[in-house]
Amino acid sequence: MKALLRAELIKLRTTRTFVVLTAAALAISLLVVLLTTTLQDEWTKDDARDLFATDFTGLFILLLGVMGMAGEWRHRTITSTVLAAPRRLRLLGAKTISYAVAGIAISLIVTVAIMAIGTMILSARDLPTLGLGDLVDGLWRNLVVAAYLGAFGVCIGGLIRNQIVAIVGLLLMTFAIEPALIGLASEVGKFGPTVGAPNGFIGLEDVFGEGEEQLTPAVALLVMIGWVGLAFAAAAARLERRDLV
Amino acid sequence: MPVVEIRDLHKRFGKVEAVKGLSFEIEAGRVTGFLGPNGAGKSTTLRALLGLVRPTAGTATFGGRLYHQLDRPSAQVGAVLEDAAFHPGRTGRNHLRVLAAAGEHPEARVDEVLSTVGLSDAANRRVKGYSMGMRQRLAIAAALLGDPEVLILDEPTNGLDPPGISWMRGLLREQAGKGRAVLVSSHLLAEVAQSVDDVVIISHGELRGQGTLEQVLGGDDGPATEVRTPDPEQLAQALERRGYTVEREGDVLLVLGASPEQVGPIAAEEQVTILGLAPKMRSLEAAFFALTDDGS
């Protein structure tokens, strides 16, 4: 398993995908923080908490995970990958862990950057901001969600072989289906894999309407574990049965 | 024990039975050519052997063990498949580094195999800039990474230029010379004939012929010998008296059903001068068409 993890991490480091997605997540997150902290005059600590939690890395991490697995079929490298690691369950496990680690790395870079720059701007404008304890609390929650999304993306890429279909499906889920479900039936939507449960874990209140109850962080964590476990089992079953012709 | 053993292998894809009860073995220290027309089931057989497709029935094993049961499989079996593919944005060296890490091979092997296949100068270029021949060499480098005892090569000369084909022929012989088993599928019959010791011929998923190259080229009629002599009629009559069929063409006789070892003593007994004596074989192409019924 250690060898496979090392191989997957070399794969991640030796194409431009990881760098490009990290740079894109960082650029968009910094832009949003710069605009919000410089243009918004009414400001509370809750606003700061929500701003630092919505670091925009989630979507990129999800895409990275999908591309990491579905890309094996797109580039037809799955054959050489399975020849090097014929125990497919272990291979999927190594990929899942590797992309969870990659998710943590991206989120760490972006979250620390936006927290540092956002806090400096808010302080310079004498607006309320978060103390170190709140920042650390926000950081570790972001990292846990990042690890979850990286792992979940790999499993979705293992389930849906066509990379484009997998990405479009996840975008629809994230931007249309789950938000609609949260709006129409939040008691169901709050359990969603890409918006509901992650936001429940982070404690992001903007997503849910006034008076709507989201999952507690502990329950949200269990739901995320459930989603990734379910997706992993389905992807593993598919990968084990699949003939590589 | 044979190094590779295919036993009653069946593989069905939906309604199509790609492989139908195929059985053969390959031995260490020999190059075995795996021949058959397109769609014969060669690639499916190799993929079943490598654990990439699941057989419907039967087994395909290395020393009695399935590929995924081998300890560090890429250290025991190296494979080049027909559709060898690479991430276009990764360099040749990094592609091998990934495989070296996964197979637990020392990273120093990466530069060794790059040198072996003549890709050292292009090692740090992205694969999308490689020619087809360079990609094929990179695939071969990947197969050699673990210094394996068994090499499985599916159409390895695809994309190689004439010097590359010559290099490949040398590589196959060198590997067999080191005691390794080499199984090579190819549609280039002339190329195979120059490189292999044994031949396995399949068609429509079934075994059609197997043996040493000489056995397969000898055909079903048994051995034949071509003999040149200044006294063809005397020798022909002597051979016919002993029951052999002889075809005459000037001073050359074609003796059917007799090997040179059988013809030589008869000529000596009859005190006939022999100017030339050699086994007469079918071309591999003729043997292939005869065995696969695909000559039309």
Side-chain angles (χ1 to χ4, degrees):
Chain A
M1 186 59 124
K2 202 172 150 189
L4 293 182
L5 281 171
R6 194 164 158 259
E8 288 299 329
L9 291 173
I10 294 174
K11 273 188 194 174
L12 263 166
R13 293 202 313 267
T14 53
T15 64
R16 290 178 179 158
T17 310
F18 179 73
V19 174
V20 168
L21 288 179
T22 305
L26 186 61
I28 291 175
S29 300
L30 282 175
L31 182 67
V32 170
V33 166
L34 283 170
L35 291 175
T36 312
T37 53
T38 52
L39 299 177
Q40 188 174 324
D41 292 327
E42 297 289 319
W43 196 261
T44 66
K45 276 193 169 185
D46 282 344
D47 291 331
R49 187 173 290 112
D50 284 355
L51 180 66
F52 296 152
T54 51
D55 63 5
F56 289 95
T57 56
L59 181 63
F60 291 98
I61 293 167
L62 202 51
L63 294 183
L64 183 70
V66 170
M67 290 161 77
M69 190 68 210
E72 294 272 12
W73 276 279
R74 184 182 169 211
H75 299 298
R76 296 183 294 118
T77 51
I78 187 68
T79 302
S80 60
T81 298
V82 171
L83 280 177
R87 290 173 187 167
R88 300 183 188 188
L89 190 63
R90 289 178 66 186
L91 171 67
L92 184 64
K95 233 181 218 311
T96 303
I97 294 170
S98 301
Y99 280 81
V101 171
I104 289 172
I106 295 177
S107 186
L108 185 65
I109 292 166
V110 175
T111 306
V112 167
I114 63 171
M115 281 178 167
I117 289 171
T119 301
M120 277 193 293
I121 295 171
L122 291 173
S123 301
R125 295 183 67 203
D126 281 333
L127 293 171
T129 186
L130 301 180
L132 185 62
D134 284 337
L135 289 174
V136 171
D137 183 61
L139 176 62
W140 81 263
R141 285 173 195 274
N142 274 4
L143 298 186
V144 170
V145 169
Y148 158 72
L149 290 174
F152 188 68
V154 167
C155 298
I156 295 300
L159 264 175
I160 304 170
R161 178 173 163 164
N162 186 306
Q163 185 171 299
I164 304 297
V165 172
I167 288 174
V168 170
L170 277 175
L171 291 176
L172 276 176
M173 186 69 152
T174 305
F175 291 112
I177 297 170
E178 276 203 59
L181 207 54
I182 288 168
L184 296 170
S186 68
E187 66 278 7
V188 178
K190 65 187 176 184
F191 290 97
T194 61
V195 180
N199 286 333
F201 182 75
I202 291 172
L204 200 61
E205 289 168 0
D206 275 358
V207 174
F208 294 87
E210 195 78 20
E212 295 290 355
E213 211 172 275
Q214 58 180 314
L215 298 176
T216 62
V219 174
L221 181 63
L222 290 176
V223 170
M224 289 194 297
I225 291 170
W227 275 118
V228 85
L230 191 67
F232 183 89
R238 188 112 204 260
L239 188 61
E240 281 285 330
R241 280 204 319 267
R242 186 173 279 164
D243 282 334
L244 302 175
V245 291
Chain B
M1 178 182 264
V3 179
V4 172
E5 192 174 17
I6 310 283
R7 276 282 158 267
D8 197 25
L9 188 73
H10 291 258
K11 179 60 188 178
R12 178 179 284 281
F13 295 107
K15 289 181 179 174
V16 178
E17 192 165 16
V19 181
K20 304 169 189 169
L22 189 62
S23 297
F24 66 90
E25 298 170 352
I26 73 167
E27 304 287 343
R30 299 184 73 81
V31 180
T32 302
F34 190 35
L35 305 177
N38 288 339
K42 301 188 301 293
S43 291
T44 300
T45 302
L46 297 183
R47 284 175 183 271
L49 180 60
L50 294 165
L52 298 171
V53 304
R54 195 179 299 274
T56 309
T59 57
T61 56
F62 297 91
R65 296 166 77 189
L66 297 173
Y67 182 77
H68 75 267
Q69 293 172 334
L70 297 174
D71 181 35
R72 292 178 63 221
S74 60
Q76 300 186 52
V77 180
V80 176
L81 295 177
E82 197 178 5
D83 64 344
F86 312 92
H87 191 296
R90 194 171 281 129
T91 65
R93 172 175 279 120
N94 281 334
H95 172 74
L96 296 178
R97 284 181 62 218
V98 169
L99 297 179
E104 298 177 69
H105 309 305
E107 195 151 322
R109 278 293 291 163
V110 169
D111 285 323
E112 286 174 23
V113 294
L114 280 167
S115 170
T116 302
V117 302
L119 276 182
S120 296
D121 291 343
N124 293 324
R125 279 168 50 191
R126 292 182 196 282
V127 172
K128 66 182 170 190
Y130 279 21
S131 67
M132 198 175 165
M134 290 165 82
R135 286 171 192 239
Q136 195 67 353
R137 284 172 183 262
L138 183 59
I140 292 161
L144 296 174
L145 205 51
D147 205 13
E149 289 301 310
V150 182
L151 267 181
I152 293 174
L153 309 167
D154 195 3
E155 302 283 358
T157 52
N158 274 359
L160 293 179
D161 53 13
I165 292 172
S166 173
W167 166 80
M168 170 62 68
R169 196 183 300 147
L171 179 77
L172 299 181
R173 296 307 327 165
E174 179 194 322
Q175 294 293 317
K178 289 179 180 174
R180 285 151 192 185
V182 181
L183 179 60
V184 53
S185 90
S186 178
H187 67 281
L188 298 173
L189 301 181
E191 170 55 37
V192 169
Q194 292 182 59
S195 312
V196 303
D197 304 301
D198 301 321
V199 179
V200 174
I201 297 178
I202 69 168
S203 181
H204 302 295
E206 293 173 330
L207 184 70
R208 294 300 176 91
Q210 181 187 10
T212 64
L213 191 61
E214 291 74 20
Q215 287 169 338
V216 170
L217 298 186
D220 296 332
D221 301 328
T225 298
E226 197 171 71
V227 55
R228 196 157 69 86
T229 170
D231 303 310
E233 196 49 45
Q234 184 187 345
L235 181 58
Q237 287 174 7
L239 288 162
E240 283 169 345
R241 280 199 303 275
R242 287 166 174 82
Y244 296 114
T245 304
V246 181
E247 293 176 7
R248 298 165 173 85
E249 194 173 325
D251 62 350
V252 175
L253 302 178
L254 179 62
V255 189
L256 302 177
S259 66
E261 289 77 13
Q262 291 167 305
V263 174
I266 295 170
E269 198 178 306
E270 296 289 327
Q271 295 184 322
V272 173
T273 303
I274 297 292
L275 301 175
L277 184 70
K280 176 71 176 175
M281 291 183 178
R282 300 184 286 184
S283 70
L284 183 55
E285 192 172 45
F288 177 83
F289 288 141
L291 290 166
T292 61
D293 303 325
D294 276 21
S296 55

